[in-house]
Every structure is written in structure tokens, then in C-alpha cells.
Amino acid sequence: MLPEDEPNLEELAQRYFVDELGLAPEEIPDAARNLLGAFEVLLRIDTRIKAKPQLV
């Protein structure tokens, strides 16, 4: 359980999707999965780039 002075990350994420992006509350789960998927792709790209020998 989080201490009282620490923000609830789940609540902050939901407020961001609704307030900042203008999404309906029922769209939040899909939007969160899509955003997570995008970052996973970027992480895989970064891993591949770092794994290749650098030509200098």
C-alpha cells in the first residue's frame, strides 16, 4: 500500500487520459495498452541498435 503522501499512479494515469487527451473513461484500457505497446516497440528497437557493433 502506498503512503498517503505518494500519488496513486493508476489514478494519475486515468486523469491524464481523460483530462489531457480527452478520452472517455471506457477508452482508457485500450489507450493504456496501445501506449504500453508503443513503448515496448521502442525498447526493442533500442535494444537492437545497441546490440549491433558500431562502425566508426
Side-chain angles (χ1 to χ4, degrees):
M1 188 168 184
L2 293 174
E4 291 296 319
D5 60 340
E6 288 194 30
N8 180 341
L9 297 181
E10 182 80 20
E11 181 182 326
L12 286 174
Q14 287 187 1
R15 283 194 356 223
Y16 172 75
F17 283 125
V18 172
D19 295 344
E20 298 296 325
L21 300 180
L23 296 177
E26 61 271 7
E27 296 174 321
I28 292 174
D30 285 339
R33 279 191 298 274
N34 289 340
L35 188 59
L36 183 59
F39 280 106
E40 287 174 346
V41 168
L42 290 174
L43 180 61
R44 286 196 313 259
I45 291 170
D46 185 59
T47 302
R48 288 180 187 171
I49 289 172
K50 288 180 179 177
K52 290 184 179 180
Q54 298 294 323
L55 300 176
V56 179

